[in-house]
């Protein structure tokens, strides 16, 4: 069987196979690229050629006819002719077969159609390039031109060096050439550069086309655009290692850095340090001013920390308002001091966020390598412990890890963990400390104080667990429990025939800042039928520091409903006269620290006297806390103190004992 196989494109004929001279008397000048009508006429006559014109013009999709041609020896040769048209993006292509054997032509036509369909589908979906052995591009489809930004002319004859982005190593391409050079199929992801300089990613399969000896003569590269996929992968990678809010590295990346740092420090005998920086009272900002402002604040804090640390280390945000810093290299642990001090100092300047001037402080814990441990988790844990120590004391400070700290702070950890259990298992209860009017010698009111009987630690004092509850946010639940419990108690006393005496409850700043605080408070009062006059609230000045407008607003609402407020612990902290005037509170409580020793220290006596007068001049009832001796009582009475609360009269009492006191308003002394 003899066949000629050809393609017509743009009126030119290209042969992939020619009839041999024996079959037909082929003219010498028949070459690929000639005008199809001329060429075909010389084979199959002008009528046959016209049939192909129908395909070229799109009038027919398929033709099949028989014709005769002249053999070399002059004999007539019967020929079977097939033609098939396909429409491509850039015009019509016509394929044709001239064969001297009729049966096989049908099979061939089918095969040809299949092939052209595949080519069409490939062209639509794949970035296709064919290169020769030397790597020169011999064919590039439209999609290749589109994605690379180069024209077909620019690509053909060039190597892929043209689109090399410089991203991959030489070894990467060497490996690729090794694979395909030996006839293997290579697959991989390649970043290429467009003509405009931007990059695109392609998932690539290179298939070698081999000759009879199995040696590659050409390579067909099929590529898919995976630029979007790569961009997403990059996003995911960034998300996995960076904090989306502040752009700092996250805990995972920080841990990675630390592990590497330790390995390196072990080899090089270097020292380094880490710091845990935790914002004090960040939760209040979030709860009162909202998350947007909270977020802005965190971003601003991240900015200041990064500025201080600069190239000397890494700043990470571990979670919420908790930051960690790795200082790359120190000569002695003491070197960490200046970083900590710089951080404390930077917080002195308020953060200006959306019109608010937010005063923030931070508690910092420091641990150094190798002193605080030789593995990442120990060093981290110890910095955290050191930070907790600062939290438990005065905040706004820094502390180095030391070994004794470990014991006391493990306790703090456990306490923080156990709050919920404490509430669930009823381990909390209230005691009540009477307040006495010394002039009339009667009990006028009492203060409700919380107690916790912890299964492991026994009775934990509130001055130990309340600050931990405030830091962990559990104070709101505990505070709710206190209010409800006191209301319940009042209802019970009332039902037993009790003469109502005001009971004061302590409120942590965060509690009052809850958006639904007032609603919750009233709902407890209603549920237990407690009258507003029976309950008083003790607050401290810390409440006003960032939020005086909001606090004033809440206080006003509650005062209008008949709730009385006391300013607790006056004489410690800020004790600002300006606040006192602004707040319009009912009761002023002089802190125990100013009372104890009052009898033998005249300065204290003067301060206490001044506070009593000051409070009274502002129309407040003044109470002295922590009065333990007759001398202290006498001095305070000289200055016309209104009420006394202290061990001299009574320690806090259990509920049943308080009930007895309430009945008579007298203390059995
Ligand atoms: P505080 O509000 O200043 O309460 C007075 C504290 O002084 C009580 O300690 C009381 O037992 C103690 N005290 C009273 N008189 C004397 C005295 O003559 N001498 C001495 N040495 N101490 C005296 P407590 O019950 O340990 O409470 C400590 C702090 O815990 C309270 O100080 C308050 O800030 C906080 N707290 C207690 N209960 C609650 C509560 O239900 N909620 C909140 N948020 N805080 C509470
Ligand atoms: Ca109090
Ligand atoms: Ca107090």
């Amino acid at each position: 069987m003899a066949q000629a196989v050809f393609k017509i494109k743009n009126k030119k004929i290209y042969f992939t196979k020619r009839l041999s001279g024996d079959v037909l008397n082929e003219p010498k000048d028949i070459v690929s690229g000639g005008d199809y009508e001329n060429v075909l006429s010389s084979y199959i006559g002008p009528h046959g050629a016209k049939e192909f014109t129908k395909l070229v013009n799109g009038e027919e999709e398929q033709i099949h006819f028989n014709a005769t041609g002249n053999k070399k020896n002059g004999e007539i040769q019967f020929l079977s002719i097939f033609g098939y048209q396909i429409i491509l993006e850039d015009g019509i292509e016509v394929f044709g077969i001239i064969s001297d054997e009729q049966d096989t032509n049908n099979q061939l036509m089918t095969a040809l159609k299949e092939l052209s369909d595949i080519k069409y589908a490939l062209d639509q979906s794949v970035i296709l390039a064919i290169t020769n052995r030397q790597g020169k591009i011999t064919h590039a489809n439209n999609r290749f031109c589109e994605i690379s930004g180069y024209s077909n002319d620019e690509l053909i004859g060039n190597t892929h060096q043209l689109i090399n982005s410089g991203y991959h190593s030489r070894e990467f391409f060497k490996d690729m050439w090794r694979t395909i050079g030996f006839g293997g199929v290579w697959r991989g992801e390649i970043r290429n550069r467009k003509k405009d300089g931007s990059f695109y990613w392609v998932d690539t399969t290179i298939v070698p086309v081999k000759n009879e000896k199995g040696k590659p003569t050409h390579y067909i590269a099929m590529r898919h655009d995976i630029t979007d996929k790569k961009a997403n992968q990059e996003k995911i990678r960034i998300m996995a290692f960076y904090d989306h809010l502040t752009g700092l590295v996250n805990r995972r990346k920080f841990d990675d850095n630390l592990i590497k740092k330790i390995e390196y420090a072990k080899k090089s005998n270097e020292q380094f340090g880490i710091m845990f920086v935790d914002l004090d009272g960040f939760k209040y900002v979030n709860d009162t001013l909202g998350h947007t402002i909270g977020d802005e604040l965190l971003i601003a804090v991240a900015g200041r920390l990064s500025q201080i640390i600069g190239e000397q280390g890494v700043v990470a945000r571990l979670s919420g308002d908790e930051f960690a810093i790795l200082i790359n290299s120190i000569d002695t642990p003491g070197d960490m001091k200046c970083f900590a001090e710089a951080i404390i100092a930077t917080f002195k300047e308020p953060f200006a966020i959306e019109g608010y001037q937010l005063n923030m402080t931070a508690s910092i814990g420091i641990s150094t390598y190798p002193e605080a441990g030789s593995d990442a988790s120990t060093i981290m844990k110890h910095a955290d412990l050191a930070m907790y120590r600062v939290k438990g004391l005065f905040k706004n400070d820094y502390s180095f890890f030391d070994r004794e700290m470990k014991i006391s702070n493990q306790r703090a950890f456990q306490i923080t963990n156990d709050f919920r259990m404490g509430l669930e298992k009823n381990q909390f209860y209230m005691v009540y400390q009477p307040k006495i009017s010394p002039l009339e010698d009667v009990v006028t009111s009492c203060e409700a104080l919380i107690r916790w009987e912890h299964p492991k630690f026994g009775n934990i004092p509130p001055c130990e667990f309340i600050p931990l509850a405030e830091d962990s946010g559990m104070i709101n639940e505990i505070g709710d429990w206190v209010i409800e419990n006191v209301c319940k108690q009042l209802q019970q006393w009332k039902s037993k025939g009790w003469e109502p005496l005001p009971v004061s409850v302590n409120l942590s700043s965060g509690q009052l800042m809850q958006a639904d605080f007032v609603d919750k408070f009233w709902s407890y009062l209603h549920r237990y039928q407690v009258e507003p006059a029976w309950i008083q609230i003790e607050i401290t000045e810390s409440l006003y520091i960032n939020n005086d407008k909001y606090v004033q607003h809440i206080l006003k609402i509650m005062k209008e409903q008949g709730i009385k407020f006391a300013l607790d612990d006056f004489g410690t902290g800020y004790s600002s006269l300006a606040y006192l005037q602004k707040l319009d509170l009912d009761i002023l409580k002089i802190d125990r620290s100013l009372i104890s020793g009052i009898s033998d220290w005249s300065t204290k006596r003067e301060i206490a006297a001044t506070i009593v007068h000051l409070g009274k001049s502002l129309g407040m009832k003044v109470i002295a806390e922590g009065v333990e001796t007759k001398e202290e009582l006498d001095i305070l009475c000289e200055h016309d103190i209104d009420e006394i609360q202290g061990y001299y009269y009574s320690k806090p009492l259990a509920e049943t004992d308080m009930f007895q006191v309430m009945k008579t308003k007298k203390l059995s002394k």
Side-chain angles (χ1 to χ4, degrees):
M1 180 190 72
Q3 285 175 331
V5 181
F6 56 86
K7 173 175 106 173
I8 302 169
K9 178 133 199 211
N10 298 332
K11 306 217 163 173
K12 304 232 158 50
I13 190 160
Y14 303 90
F15 285 91
T16 42
K17 197 168 173 211
R18 302 257 296 273
L19 288 166
S20 85
D22 318 332
V23 180
L24 281 181
N25 193 9
E26 282 187 329
K28 282 241 162 23
D29 57 351
I30 291 181
V31 282
S32 277
D35 178 77
Y36 82 95
E37 277 191 295
N38 290 340
V39 174
L40 286 181
S41 295
S42 66
Y43 267 126
I44 50 177
H47 288 296
K50 281 225 173 68
E51 288 299 308
F52 275 91
T53 304
K54 288 182 191 161
L55 293 176
V56 170
N57 291 342
E59 290 157 22
E60 298 276 356
E61 282 181 8
Q62 198 174 333
I63 50 171
H64 179 201
F65 59 95
N66 296 322
T68 49
N70 296 318
K71 278 191 179 181
K72 243 184 181 164
N73 57 13
E75 279 177 30
I76 301 259
Q77 169 71 52
F78 288 97
L79 297 169
S80 173
I81 300 160
F82 286 87
Y84 184 80
Q85 165 239 61
I86 62 167
I87 297 166
L88 294 174
E89 273 172 27
D90 54 348
I92 291 174
E93 278 189 14
V94 170
F95 294 88
I97 300 171
I98 302 172
S99 165
D100 66 344
E101 235 174 74
Q102 293 190 10
D103 322 345
T104 48
N105 279 359
N106 279 332
Q107 291 165 20
L108 263 168
M109 273 309 290
T110 317
L112 189 66
K113 182 178 173 342
E114 268 172 18
L115 265 178
S116 62
D117 285 350
I118 290 167
K119 181 176 182 296
Y120 178 73
L122 264 180
D123 255 345
Q124 296 307 304
S125 64
V126 170
I127 301 157
L128 199 74
I130 302 176
T131 62
N132 63 16
R133 267 189 74 97
Q134 288 72 41
K136 284 222 167 82
I137 300 168
T138 57
H139 174 87
N141 73 348
N142 278 346
R143 291 184 63 86
F144 189 9
C145 298
E146 275 163 24
I147 196 164
S148 67
Y150 288 102
S151 70
N152 205 57
D153 287 348
E154 287 169 310
L155 290 171
I156 303 292
N158 247 309
T159 67
H160 278 86
Q161 193 59 35
L162 185 68
I163 52 168
N164 189 333
S165 65
Y167 177 86
H168 305 278
S169 65
R170 282 166 70 96
E171 199 42 48
F172 176 87
F173 289 112
K174 263 194 195 159
D175 170 72
M176 179 188 94
W177 278 108
R178 221 174 346 226
T179 308
I180 58 177
F182 284 108
V185 174
W186 184 89
R187 287 191 188 85
E189 291 180 349
I190 303 184
R191 191 177 85 159
N192 286 333
R193 198 184 49 217
K194 296 189 186 196
K195 193 175 180 182
D196 67 11
S198 59
F199 299 111
Y200 65 95
W201 275 91
V202 281
D203 169 59
T204 301
T205 305
I206 304 179
V207 184
V209 181
K210 297 176 232 179
N211 62 16
E212 322 74 60
K213 291 179 193 146
K215 275 197 115 186
T217 57
H218 285 81
Y219 302 103
I220 301 178
M222 286 163 284
R223 305 188 174 103
H224 289 278
D225 184 0
I226 52 162
T227 311
D228 287 347
K229 181 182 119 185
K230 279 282 173 183
N232 284 335
Q233 278 176 353
E234 179 64 9
K235 261 189 221 147
I236 290 164
R237 196 186 69 82
I238 288 177
M239 267 157 60
F241 290 116
Y242 293 87
D243 169 40
H244 65 97
L245 180 67
T246 60
L248 296 175
V249 304
N250 65 10
R251 181 184 286 271
R252 188 188 303 180
K253 177 103 172 136
F254 188 83
D255 285 348
D256 273 4
N257 284 358
L258 183 58
I259 289 166
K260 284 193 192 117
K261 184 79 218 171
I262 293 168
E263 275 170 19
Y264 179 77
K266 271 184 185 151
K267 281 186 219 135
S268 62
N269 272 333
E270 239 183 48
Q271 300 188 52
F272 68 87
I274 70 166
M275 281 194 268
F276 265 45
V277 180
D278 193 286
L279 306 186
D280 303 323
F282 172 74
K283 209 180 165 299
Y284 305 153
V285 174
N286 234 11
D287 289 350
T288 54
L289 304 180
H291 290 277
T292 320
I293 290 184
D295 285 355
E296 290 293 322
L297 179 63
L298 290 173
I299 294 169
V301 167
R304 287 196 195 174
L305 293 179
S306 303
Q307 202 170 14
I308 290 171
I309 305 307
E311 300 291 301
Q312 302 180 77
V314 182
V315 184
R317 177 168 167 238
L318 301 186
S319 65
D321 59 347
E322 204 180 29
F323 296 84
I325 296 169
L326 171 75
I327 300 294
N328 281 331
S329 178
I330 52 172
D331 295 329
T332 70
D335 290 354
M336 292 298 284
K337 253 173 95 163
C338 59
F339 290 104
E341 278 163 6
I343 293 170
I344 300 281
T346 191
F347 276 90
K348 291 229 162 80
E349 175 153 342
F351 290 84
I353 285 157
E354 296 197 12
Y356 292 92
Q357 292 290 322
L358 301 177
N359 287 294
M360 272 312 232
T361 60
S363 298
I364 304 172
I366 302 170
S367 65
T368 54
Y369 174 90
E371 292 79 9
S374 56
D375 65 275
S377 75
T378 310
I379 295 176
M380 291 283 271
K381 200 169 71 201
H382 288 169
D384 205 13
L385 282 177
M387 189 275 289
Y388 262 87
R389 155 124 112 201
V390 180
K391 283 268 174 208
L393 295 170
F394 306 104
K395 308 192 161 81
N396 189 23
D397 200 356
Y398 64 90
S399 165
F400 280 83
F401 167 75
D402 62 55
R403 297 276 152 195
E404 297 118 63
M405 186 183 288
K406 204 167 162 178
I407 299 146
S408 75
N409 277 285
Q410 269 164 353
R411 179 177 157 102
F413 271 130
Q414 177 146 18
I415 289 174
T416 304
N417 269 331
D418 289 349
F419 281 127
R420 187 142 281 131
M421 167 198 78
L423 285 171
E424 279 163 10
K425 300 206 166 155
N426 278 322
Q427 291 163 0
F428 293 99
Y429 61 97
M430 302 305 293
V431 292
Y432 299 86
Q433 187 176 30
K435 296 177 205 170
I436 289 96
S437 158
L439 206 65
E440 300 155 77
D441 198 27
V442 289
V443 176
T444 50
S445 59
C446 66
E447 177 175 6
L449 294 158
I450 192 168
R451 295 289 176 265
W452 184 5
E453 189 63 35
H454 188 281
K456 181 169 161 198
F457 300 130
N459 211 314
I460 308 173
C463 55
E464 183 178 5
F465 71 77
I466 292 289
L468 295 171
E470 285 171 344
D471 271 338
S472 62
M474 277 301 288
I475 191 65
N476 292 341
E477 278 167 69
I478 293 171
D480 286 351
W481 180 88
V482 168
I483 295 168
E484 175 162 22
N485 197 272
V486 167
C487 287
K488 221 190 264 177
Q489 187 65 74
L490 283 167
Q491 188 186 42
Q492 212 181 72
W493 280 336
K494 171 82 179 161
S495 71
K496 286 189 193 165
W498 159 71
E499 278 285 307
L501 274 185
V503 178
S504 64
V505 290
N506 292 282
L507 217 66
S508 290
S509 347
Q511 273 178 273
L512 192 103
M513 290 299 175
Q514 296 170 92
D516 59 348
F517 175 73
V518 178
D519 289 346
K520 274 201 294 197
F521 186 81
W522 290 125
S523 75
Y524 288 130
L525 261 61
H526 286 142
R527 191 177 313 158
Y528 299 102
Q529 293 161 319
V530 170
E531 285 173 27
W534 304 349
I535 204 154
Q536 295 178 350
I537 292 178
E538 297 192 6
I539 54 172
T540 59
E541 284 162 300
S542 63
L543 187 58
Y544 293 95
I545 296 190
N546 290 328
N547 321 285
D548 58 346
K549 288 253 154 52
Y550 179 77
V551 173
Q552 276 181 41
H553 171 69
I554 298 292
L555 259 56
K556 189 163 171 275
I557 297 177
M558 295 183 75
K559 278 167 66 100
E560 278 167 8
Q561 302 286 329
I563 301 291
K564 283 200 161 61
F565 282 87
L567 187 62
D568 206 353
D569 303 342
F570 195 75
T572 60
Y574 294 82
S575 301
S576 130
L577 185 59
Y579 275 136
L580 257 194
Q581 279 173 322
K582 229 192 303 187
L583 297 181
D584 185 26
L585 299 173
D586 309 283
I587 300 155
L588 186 64
K589 294 184 82 177
I590 307 175
D591 191 66
R592 184 159 62 90
S593 61
L594 280 174
I595 305 299
S596 65
I598 198 171
S599 47
D600 25 59
W601 196 14
S602 62
T603 322
K604 263 195 183 171
R605 203 177 309 175
E606 273 165 37
I607 297 172
T610 313
I611 295 175
V612 177
H613 293 139
L614 175 70
K616 288 188 155 223
S617 69
L618 290 169
M620 299 166 92
K621 186 194 268 184
V622 183
I623 303 181
E625 281 192 306
V627 176
E628 293 185 349
T629 65
K630 178 86 171 71
E631 290 77 38
E632 287 165 358
L633 173 69
D634 288 345
I635 291 164
L636 289 159
C637 285
E638 265 173 44
H639 293 286
D640 288 334
I641 190 87
D642 292 307
E643 286 177 13
I644 299 286
Q645 180 184 352
Y647 293 176
Y648 175 73
Y649 280 113
S650 170
K651 289 202 165 181
L653 304 173
E655 167 258 311
T656 42
D657 296 335
M658 189 65 215
F659 179 60
Q660 294 308 318
V661 172
M662 289 217 156
K663 284 205 284 202
T664 57
K665 296 190 184 167
K666 291 278 176 192
L667 292 159
S668 49
K669 260 174 75 90

